[in-house]
Amino acid sequence: MFAICAHTVEFILPNEPDVPKQIVITEKTSQAKDVRSAVGFRYGEILPAEGHLFDLLEPEDVVPAWKRWSPILLRPEGLYDTCPATGGNKAAKLKAIREALRSAKRVWLATDCDREGQLIGQEILEHYKYRGEVMRVLFTAQDSQTIRDAFGRAKPNTEYARLYAAAVARRQADQIYNLSLTRTATVILGRGTRRVIGVGRVKTPTLAIVCKRELEIRNFVPLAYFEVVATAKVAGGQFQMRHAPQDRIVRRELAQEVVEAAQGFEGALAVRVEDKRQGPPKLHDLPSLQKLCGSRFGWSASKTLEVAQELYDGQGKKIITYPRAEVRYLPSTLISDVPRIVAGLRVGQSFSTIPVPEPPVIRKGASGMFYDKGLEGASHHAVIPNVNAIDKLPEVWPRLSSDEKKLFDVIARAYLAALMPDFRYRQTTAKLDVRGFEFCAAGRQPIDLGWRAAFPEWQPADEKGDEAQLLPPVRNGETAMLQDPKIENKETRPPPRYNEGTLIEAMQNAWRFVDDEVLRERLKEAKGIGTPATRAEIIGGLKKQGFLIAQGKHIVPTETGLSLFGVLKQADPALVDPGVTAQLECLLDDVVVGKQEMVGAIDAVCDVAQRIIGRLMEGTAIGGHPLLGAAVGSGAAAYPPTPAMRRFADSLARQNGIKPPPGYKTSISICGAFLKQHAPKKAHGEATGKLEPKSVSPAQLLYATKIALGKGVVIPDEAKANSAAMAAWIDSNKGTKRRKIGRKTAFRPAGSMAPTSTEPAKISRKRKANAAAGALLPAQPNPAAGTPLRIPYGNKDLAMKLGARYGSTGWYAPPGVDLSAFGERGWL
């Protein structure tokens, strides 16, 4: 209500005499409020957008023949035009801006300082063919002083033409790539399924990263090996020495030989001492913050961004710079802010004990903090404390939530550490020849903590283990005696599963998935796949579509996600190759720095899409492609276990002191096999315990049969085995409620991987509205007194949500409640 009133007041305020009519366009309402507080109406009426006020036209709106899905490249002549977006208050805000533009002689674009912000503001002017003067205002913090300074140094918008071209190239390329390949894959690979096989230029390779890691873990065969460790005694104390040859010892008898050789052995140490130094870690960008907060606090990537955004533009806060950073350097112009930021941080109790030297250490260049060249192609710098709000930190601090304090602490300590001396230490390596077997020990003694003093409570991961042990004073040639040699049982381990932070890091470092050395080096200069602003949304979209799930802190693919990955990889590996996408990202990023023209970058993406379409069509001609229905529609492996099965499996694992098999939380067949193997047996051989398999109810079988007939599929034998398996099969094959299908309704089944708002390509609202289609069981007749229900324990909330009620005779469905949801779960 406040925003509407303020907006109305702005319209009636007259411009000063002899000053041309001008307006300010911001990205959102809160930003408009901050700008208004900073500069008033000095630069004209302040009008907020609401994110993107324009969408790209749908293919069929450009070429009517494209309404029918077919395997073709959906590239129009020229570019896709734009049309007003819907939702929220977009229409009203667009109307206000459009009316103001008619008489405005000058426009100040004050949207976010990144590529997307440039697109949000400039696309409005391009759509309405505005030809007045346009000034670009860039601010990396949202306090009043920063905003005033930004208006004072605003530049003509023409200087940011490349930034806009890069944003347009990315958006147009993604629309063409995503929709063309989604339609092609659906038509060619999705026959016989009521499912869209969605392909996203960034989303599909992200799914592939997780699936490849999961398959690597499942196929991993651990190798047992042995190491020998002994205690070495010298004049100054004792320490651990380890025999770790280049080739692992895989036979215990060989390790025993080493133990016997080391028992009571005395010999001269070969000692090497080096003084070394280690510079501070780089400042944070958004991906590094997401990785650190994920591992230290267990935060999701989206939560990290949410907390950072609140510190950036939250009411009464604004104590950090723009959080969606994609580089970890600062421009040299910010060196002058160092004394003020340090002084402001040192006032607080949290940072007052950090010994920042006077003057601070200023590091320049690629290995330092200030590096202008490292900011080329980037529209904003690393995340740091806001210099213009630092004096208000004592009064802001009590208003921060515990999470906001944690994140600010991370950002502030990284800034202070970057201004402190190197960590200096003495690296000592001691070796001992034990009758032909070499024993080693390594340790370090700190000489000067330097920047490490900014992090007193934690230790970097690379400093853990044997090399971090503190060795007593040792001299070269000094005699050491070995005692208590023993064999340690070791086992090779698979790579760890991703969490959201490490997955975003993998997306950022997509060059690691490329084998070609020359190309790897080229891609190291790029920023990976996706952007800092979209990566968390892409992961979230894959979760919503049922291709990825969270298991504790880890992100793992579902069986459906693995099946889709397998189908797409076999159809054309380029579809799921992060390296291919990283190459395309390079071309799009090159537009910003002038190494590539906008149309050339779009051409390159279209060439890749056209080649993939050709490969898919060739595979169809020779019958070489698998179908998605065959991959995900047969067998119980494609369906998740019930919550009761998972709980019982976890209970058995704890009781027996064993680990459940990988995939037991996502595959009913894996979980069922584990239960069958480890559940206690009755006398006649059947499993006992809380999870006694129930037979399929008549209602379940009836409902499943209707689904099977409607979709032209066969109910697998595994699903018929028990009620839980049948419920899982029904959940994976059911449709949604019947709806009227108009002439313009597109085929968009729920759970598809079609591009969503996390990708720049848009799906029209009429397609979003009809997101699913499928055969359903019509509501059954209800008796006047209600229909009795059999609701299993623990399902109260879901049952109530579906319309069930509990009375003196137990659970029942009141007259008029749709019984199909209860029937499909076997609750009738």
Side-chain angles (χ1 to χ4, degrees):
M1 188 66 188
F2 172 79
I4 295 175
C5 295
H7 191 70
T8 305
V9 172
E10 289 174 25
F11 265 93
I12 63 175
L13 283 174
N15 285 287
E16 296 178 11
D18 303 322
V19 175
K21 174 71 181 293
Q22 52 187 352
I23 63 172
V24 179
I25 298 177
T26 66
E27 189 161 323
K28 49 192 173 184
T29 302
S30 62
Q31 204 173 53
K33 185 177 179 182
D34 290 336
V35 172
R36 190 177 298 116
S37 298
V39 300
F41 303 103
R42 191 180 316 162
Y43 299 94
E45 188 178 0
I46 301 169
L47 300 171
E50 190 176 311
H52 284 283
L53 294 182
F54 288 93
D55 290 335
L56 296 183
L57 291 175
E58 288 295 313
E60 51 266 41
D61 297 329
V62 178
V63 179
W66 286 350
K67 182 176 182 180
R68 180 179 178 83
W69 285 30
S70 58
I72 59 173
L73 186 71
L74 302 171
R75 184 175 189 179
E77 292 292 333
L79 301 176
Y80 276 97
D81 204 351
T82 55
C83 61
T86 58
N89 201 27
K90 291 179 183 287
K93 292 183 175 179
L94 183 58
K95 180 180 178 182
I97 294 174
R98 183 185 68 229
E99 294 299 320
L101 284 175
R102 290 176 177 173
S103 56
K105 302 299 182 183
R106 180 185 298 136
V107 173
W108 302 82
L109 285 186
T111 47
D112 278 354
C113 60
D114 59 359
R115 179 170 46 204
E116 206 66 17
Q118 185 71 30
L119 178 61
I120 286 171
Q122 192 167 339
E123 69 182 351
I124 301 172
L125 308 182
E126 296 293 336
H127 184 87
Y128 293 123
K129 297 180 172 56
Y130 178 77
R131 293 297 175 259
E133 182 184 6
V134 182
M135 301 295 291
R136 184 67 166 110
V137 183
L138 295 175
F139 43 84
T140 57
Q142 282 195 203
D143 63 283
S144 294
Q145 186 59 51
T146 299
I147 292 173
R148 285 192 291 269
D149 292 344
F151 273 91
R153 60 173 182 269
K155 296 180 180 180
N157 191 55
T158 52
E159 295 190 19
Y160 301 93
R162 288 177 179 171
L163 192 65
Y164 177 69
V168 170
R170 179 179 295 273
R171 195 182 196 194
Q172 294 278 335
D174 281 342
Q175 168 107 332
I176 297 167
Y177 185 100
N178 295 347
L179 296 188
S180 298
L181 292 182
T182 291
R183 292 186 177 197
T184 298
T186 301
V187 170
I188 292 176
L189 303 177
R191 297 192 306 276
T193 69
R194 302 186 68 83
R195 175 187 290 272
V196 168
I197 303 181
V199 175
R201 187 180 60 82
V202 176
K203 187 176 293 185
T204 308
T206 300
L207 173 65
I209 290 173
V210 183
C211 288
K212 288 178 180 178
R213 176 60 58 87
E214 183 65 22
L215 292 174
E216 190 176 354
I217 293 171
R218 292 189 184 186
N219 296 328
F220 181 80
V221 178
L223 172 68
Y225 66 99
F226 308 94
E227 287 186 2
V228 178
V229 63
T231 301
K233 291 194 117 183
V234 294
Q238 61 184 36
F239 56 96
Q240 294 270 296
M241 298 196 80
R242 182 177 299 275
H243 174 59
Q246 285 186 338
D247 297 325
R248 291 190 177 101
I249 301 175
V250 295
R251 293 167 53 196
R252 190 175 186 88
E253 57 268 26
L254 294 180
Q256 188 60 41
E257 291 181 15
V258 180
V259 168
E260 293 171 359
Q263 186 67 55
F265 178 84
E266 291 188 29
L269 290 171
V271 178
R272 182 181 179 184
V273 179
E274 297 177 278
D275 284 352
K276 293 188 175 183
R277 60 177 58 228
Q278 183 184 52
K282 293 184 183 299
L283 298 172
H284 286 294
D285 59 4
L286 180 58
S288 69
L289 281 176
Q290 288 169 322
K291 179 184 177 184
L292 187 148
C293 293
S295 61
R296 194 183 300 182
F297 308 137
W299 292 1
S300 67
S302 57
K303 177 176 179 177
T304 301
L305 177 55
E306 179 184 330
V307 175
Q309 192 72 31
E310 183 65 20
L311 289 174
Y312 169 66
D313 62 8
Q315 184 64 34
K317 298 168 186 175
K318 303 175 175 47
I319 54 175
I320 67 169
T321 59
Y322 190 66
R324 299 171 190 259
E326 54 189 341
V327 292
R328 304 179 72 174
Y329 295 112
L330 298 178
S332 55
T333 54
L334 296 189
I335 293 176
S336 60
D337 292 341
V338 168
R340 187 174 169 189
I341 294 178
V342 172
L345 290 174
R346 294 290 299 276
V347 170
Q349 183 177 356
S350 299
F351 312 111
S352 60
T353 59
I354 298 177
V356 180
E358 180 58 46
V361 180
I362 303 297
R363 296 177 177 83
K364 298 181 180 180
S367 60
M369 180 178 181
F370 300 94
Y371 185 41
D372 291 335
K373 188 176 180 181
L375 291 162
E376 289 181 1
S379 48
H380 39 86
H381 54 66
V383 189
I384 61 171
N386 177 9
V387 63
N388 289 317
I390 201 69
D391 296 337
K392 300 178 182 177
L393 188 58
E395 63 185 77
V396 172
W397 192 258
R399 293 199 292 267
L400 301 183
S401 69
S402 60
D403 286 342
E404 290 163 359
K405 289 177 180 178
K406 286 179 182 178
L407 186 57
F408 184 80
D409 184 86
V410 166
I411 294 168
R413 288 183 186 275
Y415 184 85
L416 295 175
L419 300 167
M420 297 171 68
D422 289 350
F423 168 47
R424 294 172 49 234
Y425 59 95
R426 182 163 293 123
Q427 181 75 43
T428 303
T429 305
K431 295 184 179 181
L432 185 63
D433 187 340
V434 181
R435 300 184 175 97
F437 301 111
E438 184 179 76
F439 277 66
C440 300
R444 56 179 54 174
Q445 295 83 35
I447 300 173
D448 181 1
L449 283 178
W451 63 267
R452 285 290 310 278
F455 306 101
E457 296 181 1
W458 66 280
Q459 188 175 38
D462 59 358
E463 294 184 21
K464 295 179 181 178
D466 288 344
E467 290 194 3
Q469 69 173 316
L470 293 176
L471 297 181
V474 290
R475 293 175 289 102
N476 188 44
E478 181 178 0
T479 299
M481 183 176 71
L482 296 185
Q483 294 181 340
D484 193 26
K486 55 187 177 183
I487 298 173
E488 289 185 345
N489 297 321
K490 300 281 186 176
E491 188 177 77
T492 56
R493 294 184 179 182
R497 288 185 170 89
Y498 292 107
N499 58 42
E500 287 204 23
T502 56
L503 178 53
I504 282 179
E505 183 187 37
M507 295 170 70
Q508 187 183 28
N509 297 303
W511 58 268
R512 293 174 178 168
F513 302 99
V514 177
D515 295 326
D516 183 276
E517 285 297 327
V518 176
L519 185 56
R520 278 168 65 96
E521 291 303 314
R522 168 73 179 93
L523 293 179
K524 283 182 183 179
E525 303 171 10
K527 301 178 182 68
I529 62 176
T531 67
T534 61
R535 288 177 186 135
E537 295 178 23
I538 287 167
I539 296 170
L542 288 167
K543 287 181 179 178
K544 287 179 182 178
Q545 292 169 317
F547 296 115
L548 297 180
I549 59 172
Q551 282 188 1
K553 291 183 179 181
H554 296 129
I555 302 294
V556 298
T558 61
E559 295 301 319
T560 302
L562 284 168
S563 298
L564 177 60
F565 165 70
V567 167
L568 295 178
K569 182 181 179 183
Q570 186 171 336
D572 189 340
L575 280 167
V576 294
D577 188 346
V580 171
T581 300
Q583 294 176 57
L584 299 179
E585 294 277 6
C586 264
L587 294 170
L588 294 169
D589 288 339
D590 283 347
V591 177
V592 179
V593 295
K595 294 180 181 179
Q596 178 66 259
E597 293 297 323
M598 178 181 72
V599 174
I602 297 173
D603 286 342
V605 176
C606 289
D607 288 345
V608 173
Q610 186 66 72
R611 186 186 63 77
I612 294 173
I613 290 171
R615 285 283 302 273
L616 292 173
M617 293 180 69
E618 289 171 9
T620 300
I622 61 176
H625 289 325
L627 296 180
L628 183 62
V632 302
S634 61
Y639 314 116
T642 64
M645 291 177 71
R646 290 199 301 270
R647 289 195 296 271
F648 191 30
D650 291 335
S651 174
L652 288 175
R654 288 193 299 270
Q655 293 173 13
N656 298 328
I658 57 177
K659 289 184 178 181
Y664 82 104
K665 290 186 177 181
T666 58
S667 169
I668 194 170
S669 61
I670 295 175
C671 189
F674 176 75
L675 296 176
K676 185 175 181 181
Q677 179 181 357
H678 295 285
K681 308 294 181 181
K682 291 182 179 178
H684 56 284
E686 293 181 0
T688 63
K690 297 179 181 179
L691 190 70
E692 184 106 14
K694 296 181 180 179
S695 60
V696 176
S697 70
Q700 273 186 307
L701 186 58
L702 173 62
Y703 188 56
T705 302
K706 287 181 178 287
I707 292 175
L709 290 174
K711 301 183 74 171
V713 297
V714 177
I715 303 173
D717 292 337
E718 294 91 336
K720 298 177 182 177
N722 57 67
S723 178
M726 181 62 80
W729 186 87
I730 289 172
D731 283 341
S732 297
N733 287 274
K734 67 183 180 181
T736 58
K737 292 183 179 180
R738 290 188 183 274
R739 62 170 70 234
K740 293 181 180 179
I741 306 297
R743 287 185 296 110
K744 294 187 177 181
T745 301
F747 177 42
R748 287 277 196 261
S752 76
M753 193 179 162
T756 66
S757 59
T758 58
E759 302 270 0
K762 304 288 184 182
I763 304 298
S764 72
R765 62 183 181 275
K766 57 180 175 283
R767 283 157 183 76
K768 289 178 181 175
N770 296 288
L776 289 180
L777 180 67
Q780 300 174 12
N782 296 322
T787 304
L789 299 173
R790 296 180 299 175
I791 307 298
Y793 178 77
N795 291 279
K796 174 183 175 181
D797 292 340
L798 176 58
M800 297 286 286
K801 186 176 180 181
L802 294 174
R805 294 296 179 264
Y806 191 80
S808 58
T809 59
W811 284 101
Y812 69 97
V817 171
D818 186 357
L819 299 180
S820 59
F822 301 108
E824 67 190 45
R825 289 172 171 79
W827 293 353
L828 287 175

